[in-house]
Amino acid sequence: MLKAFRFLRGLLFLLLMKRLLPLLLFSIGLLFTATGFSQTKISIRATNHKKEPVSFATVSILNMGDSLQTQQKLTDSSGVAIFDLATGGQYTVQISSINYETLRKGITITKAEPIFSFVLANSAKTLNTVVVRTSAKPTIRQEDDKTIVDPENLAASSTNAFEIMEKTPGLFVDQDGNIYLNSTTPATVHINGREQKMSTADIATMLKSLPPNSIASIEILRTPSARYDASGGGGIVNVILKKGVKIGLTGSVNGGFNQGRFGNQFLGLNLNNNNGKLTTYINLQASRRNNFEQIKTDRQFRPDSVLSQDAYTKYPAQSYYFGYGASYQLNKKWDLSYDGRFNYNNSRNNSTNHSTIRQISTGNMAGDNYADVANKSTNFNLTQGFSAKYKIDSAGSEWNTDLSFTYSPNNTDQSFLNTYFFPVKPQTTFTGEIDNDLKFFSAQTNFIKKLPKQLTMEAGVKSTMVRFQNTTKYAVTSAYDYKENINAGYLQASKSFLGIVVKVGTRLENTNMKGHQLSPKDTSFNLQRTDLFPYVYLSRNLMKIAGYDLRAYLVYRRTINRPAYEYLNPYPRRVDQYLFESGNPTLRPQFTQNYEANVSFEERPILAIGVNDTKDIFTQVVYQPDSSSRQVAFRTYDNLGKNKEMYFRALGAVPPGKRYFFVAGAQYNRNYYQGFYEGKPLSFRRGSWSFFTYQTFKITPLMQISLNGFIRLNGQQQFYELGTFGSLNLNLSQQFFNKKLVVTLSGNDLFYTNQNDFNLKQGSVTASGFRRGDTRRFGLNLRYNFGFRKKEENNLFNVESPDKQ
């Protein structure tokens, strides 16, 4: 297996590193048969299992090369609908009808196959006026260049949105809140398509305050197109929130808890009202959470001396969330929408750190002390967004405009108490205060035009402005002011020809960054640069297997990763008496070129292999200053050189049946760093495997059990080498009261394996340790749905009520 992977890796590297893209395109053109650009009249025939025609079924045709181009017709009395489609084009057919399960299939148009016949399955059971059916919508599906995850079953066993991220198949969330997709660079988190210009800790706090059932879907973009910000080097995770789209007045009450060593509790309410043109919604949630983290570290700071630390921290917090919005269809052309979110968080974390210094050769103790740190933090996040969509024509041409503003202040009061046992010294105490103030404004507009012969043109511009102000008060007061302005424009075109879907685009971004430390000394830095970021996407149906489409994709893109504002603040912040951390205002952006080839089977990604080639990579580093003691270390960020990362990803699934669904995947990452650290050459290689699974089994029509989990072998987090760790979660859901009440029992990290050993060998720094948290938890969640709607859909088992006339 390893030799085969190395051969594939070498072959892909030979093709992609030399950028033989023109030759690759030419070769694909020779391999695939040209089918022309003419229109072919095709027939879609719908029948039931008795081979009887299904009359008046709704048939929707979606162009795979352009998801906005859709045709829709009803079948006639013989169960047939006729369409004019482009020869050689790839389309998705969706057929729906009362008392039948919705069917989705991929087709390729050829003159030799003008008739496509599909058999619709009967709904599982009809009781009174309610139709209970198995959902045809897969939990994971591939749509154009993104993977879409339906989080409903995950939400039933979660107390907040962050827990859903931790359980989502294919996502890996580390202990610090970073989300990883297919590389060791963290993904960028978007909410409703808007980037969140916040630190990793602040985004994690925001997700922990979001109600679990407020998420409609999770879009995973491992290779985003030119339409998206070039800063998504690790990909994009776009969280789409529900906005109340069902006809009528509906709502739900949610509550639950989970218990580990400490407990989490939440209670929430959501209301949705849709009268046709106007849709409004409100989401409320209050939650309390508490957990712990323990980190044990041994750091050798001299050849014969080691500093051992055992830090235990509790994180009690309370949060309140208020989400609201409205959308209005002004006329057939204009749609307007407004949405807002308000989060308030209050946390009181306390840590105790026991430190000892010993001589390695003799075991004699040279120091023994305790450091107690108390942090009292309050912060809130206010986000306001407005968007408008203008439909230009019936072919799918449209103009979208989006404005958003975020205000997020944060205040933290710190108190430190040091107690010395050996050598004996008087206790020392001091306090500190950290004030952060973040303002973020974004404005963007995108234009999509449908042209003849399946040609789609896209263009857009975007401007963002960030203002971050920090004041840190210890013995000396530090004031830091950071401003960032990024202006961007993109042009992108997509077309289906010769059986290939081609999307080519480029993005131009102008970056302006300015940091100014006002005290204790006046320092400043400026960065101004303009860069181009090309994007190429190719897609082609390869063959049919058992009636299902096997589809291949090739993607190339260039990205940038800019230092976050907290990485640039030079003032040192105290972690404990042996460790300080600070930013580095001289950090340079890092650039990555990504090449990926992947294959999907019936809209489900199954195989991918790729390369990330990164220059000027910056990462977190630890320095031990040259001094007589070297006990005190400084943690900061630095540009170290370059990194070449190869990755391989495989995913297999059993298609959803009436009772059972199964998906499992594996990913291999291998990194090779080359550069300089502490003025000396640095070379670091590391390969790691990750495996994950997600399974559901319907025990009865009203009871379902689900299992999900992951395991990571020889993990890596920057230059930290991690041991093997993982997690297994089990959930049981039951419906009551005419399917209005859903009760879910959950167990997270059942075997308490989501803890890891780590090692760090970086220049003169040698450290090892152990890290664990309050991850094993057992809980109970309740959700009660109420209201009146035209079509009622239960989030867990897809229950539909027929339309009332």
Side-chain angles (χ1 to χ4, degrees):
M1 173 65 187
L2 183 58
K3 290 183 178 179
F5 174 74
R6 287 175 176 171
F7 173 76
L8 289 174
R9 181 181 69 181
L11 181 61
L12 183 68
F13 175 78
L14 179 64
L15 286 173
L16 297 178
M17 290 298 102
K18 295 182 178 296
R19 301 187 179 100
L20 297 179
L21 190 58
L23 178 60
L24 184 61
L25 291 173
F26 178 72
S27 301
I28 292 174
L30 291 178
L31 287 173
F32 298 120
T33 304
T35 54
F37 301 93
S38 60
Q39 296 284 314
T40 299
K41 191 177 294 294
I42 64 105
S43 300
I44 303 294
R45 177 178 296 160
T47 61
N48 58 23
H49 70 285
K50 296 180 180 180
K51 298 185 178 181
E52 299 171 341
V54 179
S55 304
F56 309 111
T58 301
V59 181
S60 300
I61 304 290
L62 175 69
N63 187 340
M64 289 186 180
D66 185 355
S67 60
L68 296 174
Q69 186 174 340
T70 305
Q71 300 182 45
Q72 190 176 88
K73 291 185 179 180
L74 295 177
T75 58
D76 56 22
S77 58
S78 60
V80 175
I82 299 175
F83 296 86
D84 287 322
L85 301 177
T87 306
Q90 287 86 40
Y91 299 87
T92 297
V93 177
Q94 178 173 298
I95 306 176
S96 59
S97 181
I98 295 176
N99 297 328
Y100 293 95
E101 296 179 9
T102 299
L103 179 143
R104 285 173 62 94
K105 292 286 185 180
I107 62 173
T108 300
I109 307 304
T110 63
K111 292 183 178 180
E113 191 179 9
I115 299 176
F116 296 88
S117 298
F118 301 99
V119 178
L120 303 185
N122 291 328
S123 296
K125 193 173 182 180
T126 302
L127 291 173
N128 299 326
T129 61
V130 178
V131 178
V132 182
R133 62 175 178 83
T134 302
S135 173
K137 181 172 63 173
T139 300
I140 303 174
R141 71 182 191 276
Q142 188 72 22
E143 185 177 292
D144 198 16
D145 55 355
K146 61 188 174 187
T147 302
I148 300 178
V149 178
D150 178 10
E152 296 298 347
N153 288 337
L154 302 176
S157 60
S158 304
T159 62
N160 55 61
F162 187 82
E163 292 181 8
I164 294 179
M165 299 292 111
E166 293 180 310
K167 299 173 184 177
T168 299
L171 298 187
F172 172 69
V173 183
D174 68 15
Q175 294 99 322
D176 298 316
N178 294 296
I179 301 175
Y180 297 90
L181 300 179
N182 56 353
S183 74
T184 53
T185 300
T188 303
V189 177
H190 289 200
I191 305 293
N192 290 337
R194 300 174 183 138
E195 183 181 2
Q196 307 299 300
K197 285 280 188 178
M198 293 187 290
S199 67
T200 299
D202 289 340
I203 290 177
T205 299
M206 180 188 65
L207 290 175
K208 289 175 182 178
S209 69
L210 283 176
N213 68 330
S214 65
I215 300 179
S217 63
I218 300 171
E219 297 179 348
I220 301 173
L221 294 91
R222 291 184 168 88
T223 55
S225 72
R227 178 171 181 169
Y228 297 92
D229 294 334
S231 58
I236 294 174
V237 176
N238 185 23
V239 180
I240 305 298
L241 301 180
K242 294 178 180 178
K243 295 187 177 182
V245 296
K246 301 176 179 66
I247 298 295
L249 175 64
T250 62
S252 65
V253 177
N254 312 275
F257 71 92
N258 59 39
Q259 186 70 38
R261 181 176 297 183
F262 303 102
N264 297 341
Q265 307 87 33
F266 80 99
L267 180 65
L269 168 71
N270 73 77
L271 294 172
N272 311 289
N273 187 36
N274 187 334
N275 63 9
K277 287 190 173 183
L278 177 64
T279 299
T280 56
Y281 71 94
I282 293 176
N283 290 324
L284 300 171
Q285 175 162 302
S287 62
R288 289 194 307 175
R289 58 183 185 273
N290 197 358
N291 62 80
F292 78 90
E293 181 180 61
Q294 184 178 20
I295 302 177
K296 295 183 177 182
T297 307
D298 293 321
R299 176 168 62 87
Q300 187 176 346
F301 61 90
R302 281 201 304 260
D304 197 35
S305 298
V306 61
L307 169 65
S308 298
Q309 294 183 293
D310 185 355
Y312 179 87
T313 307
K314 289 173 56 179
Y315 296 94
Q318 295 179 331
S319 64
Y320 305 90
Y321 173 81
F322 178 35
Y324 48 91
S327 60
Y328 182 70
Q329 184 178 3
L330 192 62
N331 50 46
K332 293 183 179 181
K333 295 284 188 179
W334 281 100
D335 288 325
L336 307 176
S337 66
Y338 162 78
D339 62 274
R341 300 188 306 275
F342 178 80
N343 307 16
Y344 176 80
N345 294 276
N346 189 341
S347 63
R348 300 286 187 269
N349 66 72
N350 300 276
S351 66
T352 299
N353 190 350
H354 182 203
S355 301
T356 59
I357 298 176
R358 294 181 180 274
Q359 189 175 5
I360 299 175
S361 58
T362 65
N364 293 335
M365 183 178 295
D368 185 6
N369 60 79
Y370 272 87
D372 296 304
V373 183
N375 293 289
K376 298 181 180 180
S377 299
T378 57
N379 77 283
F380 70 84
N381 178 280
L382 176 65
T383 299
Q384 304 293 295
F386 172 81
S387 62
K389 181 171 71 173
Y390 177 73
K391 300 176 184 177
I392 299 173
D393 53 42
S394 59
S397 302
E398 61 182 37
W399 174 35
N400 293 278
T401 300
D402 184 272
L403 305 173
S404 67
F405 175 76
T406 297
Y407 176 55
S408 182
N410 181 303
N411 173 264
T412 300
D413 292 323
Q414 294 182 310
S415 62
F416 299 84
L417 172 63
N418 297 320
T419 304
Y420 304 92
F421 297 103
F422 183 82
V424 178
K425 298 180 183 179
Q427 285 185 333
T428 59
T429 62
F430 62 94
T431 60
E433 182 180 354
I434 301 174
D435 288 321
N436 294 326
D437 189 274
L438 172 67
K439 301 181 182 70
F440 171 52
F441 174 77
S442 172
Q444 60 180 320
T445 184
N446 299 292
F447 176 78
I448 302 174
K449 179 61 179 176
K450 304 291 182 178
L451 299 171
K453 297 184 178 181
Q454 292 187 298
L455 175 63
T456 300
M457 299 294 297
E458 296 180 60
V461 294
K462 180 179 180 180
S463 181
T464 63
M465 288 176 283
V466 175
R467 177 76 181 275
F468 174 75
Q469 295 171 292
N470 166 266
T471 302
T472 302
K473 299 177 182 178
Y474 290 126
V476 179
T477 298
S478 165
Y480 173 68
D481 189 8
Y482 172 80
K483 297 178 182 178
E484 177 187 284
N485 171 229
I486 299 175
N487 303 298
Y490 79 95
L491 182 65
Q492 186 165 268
S494 61
K495 183 173 176 58
S496 177
F497 67 98
L498 301 178
I500 304 172
V501 177
V502 180
K503 185 187 293 185
V504 179
T506 189
R507 187 177 183 90
L508 180 72
E509 291 195 352
N510 169 252
T511 303
N512 302 276
M513 301 167 65
K514 182 178 181 180
H516 188 195
Q517 182 176 268
L518 304 175
S519 63
K521 59 181 180 178
D522 193 342
T523 60
S524 64
F525 69 89
N526 286 278
L527 174 65
Q528 294 181 334
R529 61 180 304 142
T530 301
D531 302 281
L532 273 174
F533 301 95
Y535 173 84
V536 180
Y537 165 95
L538 307 174
S539 175
R540 176 67 159 90
N541 266 359
L542 299 180
M543 64 183 73
K544 284 184 178 291
I545 300 177
Y548 296 100
D549 285 326
L550 188 68
R551 191 170 188 84
Y553 303 83
L554 292 174
V555 181
Y556 163 78
R557 66 182 184 129
R558 182 175 186 254
T559 63
I560 185 174
N561 189 4
R562 302 177 182 89
Y565 49 80
E566 69 267 26
Y567 295 179
L568 300 170
N569 186 356
Y571 189 73
R573 295 172 294 280
R574 183 186 181 102
V575 178
D576 58 51
Q577 60 182 323
Y578 299 108
L579 179 63
F580 290 78
E581 62 180 7
S582 67
N584 180 1
T586 65
L587 277 182
R588 301 183 302 275
Q590 69 181 37
F591 292 88
T592 300
Q593 297 192 83
N594 172 246
Y595 310 83
E596 180 174 299
N598 62 71
V599 178
S600 69
F601 181 72
E602 190 62 9
E603 299 183 345
R604 295 174 179 88
I606 60 172
L607 187 67
I609 185 170
V611 176
N612 289 315
D613 192 3
T614 303
K615 308 293 184 184
D616 269 341
I617 188 168
F618 62 79
T619 186
Q620 190 178 75
V621 293
V622 177
Y623 291 110
Q624 294 179 149
D626 254 344
S627 65
S628 58
S629 69
R630 297 174 64 88
Q631 297 175 5
V632 178
F634 286 87
R635 188 167 62 199
T636 185
Y637 293 84
D638 212 343
N639 295 98
L640 297 184
K642 60 183 180 179
N643 177 43
K644 191 179 297 296
E645 179 181 34
M646 304 288 297
Y647 61 88
F648 167 80
R649 185 175 64 252
L651 184 71
V654 175
K658 293 184 178 180
R659 301 188 67 182
Y660 184 62
F661 173 69
F662 170 85
V663 61
Q667 181 167 307
Y668 178 76
N669 294 75
R670 184 166 184 83
N671 288 273
Y672 178 31
Y673 293 90
Q674 289 179 292
F676 287 87
Y677 176 73
E678 294 182 330
K680 299 178 181 179
L682 169 71
S683 181
F684 177 80
R685 289 181 174 91
R686 181 75 169 176
S688 63
W689 279 98
S690 299
F691 301 90
F692 63 89
T693 186
Y694 175 77
Q695 305 173 42
T696 62
F697 179 72
K698 194 175 290 187
I699 302 173
T700 71
L702 302 179
M703 181 181 291
Q704 178 172 288
I705 189 171
S706 63
L707 179 146
N708 65 84
F710 79 93
I711 184 172
R712 174 160 285 195
L713 310 177
N714 298 323
Q716 177 188 348
Q717 186 176 356
Q718 298 172 349
F719 286 101
Y720 286 88
E721 300 179 13
L722 308 180
T724 297
F725 62 100
S727 176
L728 188 67
N729 311 310
L730 187 67
N731 312 300
L732 179 66
S733 297
Q734 171 75 48
Q735 290 184 320
F736 299 95
F737 302 132
N738 198 25
K739 308 171 188 66
K740 292 183 178 181
L741 175 65
V742 179
V743 179
T744 302
L745 299 174
S746 63
N748 299 327
D749 195 12
L750 295 176
F751 301 107
Y752 202 28
T753 51
N754 195 6
Q755 46 187 296
N756 59 74
D757 300 310
F758 62 85
N759 289 281
L760 176 65
K761 295 181 180 179
Q762 194 178 68
S764 63
V765 179
T766 300
S768 62
F770 172 76
R771 185 174 185 177
R772 66 172 179 168
D774 199 3
T775 53
R776 180 162 60 184
R777 292 174 174 268
F778 299 91
L780 171 68
N781 284 19
L782 305 174
R783 183 177 77 244
Y784 184 79
N785 302 311
F786 58 87
F788 303 93
R789 48 183 134 177
K790 187 177 180 181
K791 281 193 175 183
E792 179 157 326
E793 175 184 330
N794 183 287
N795 290 331
L796 186 60
F797 295 112
N798 255 342
V799 179
E800 289 189 356
S801 295
D803 295 349
K804 295 181 180 181
Q805 305 295 330

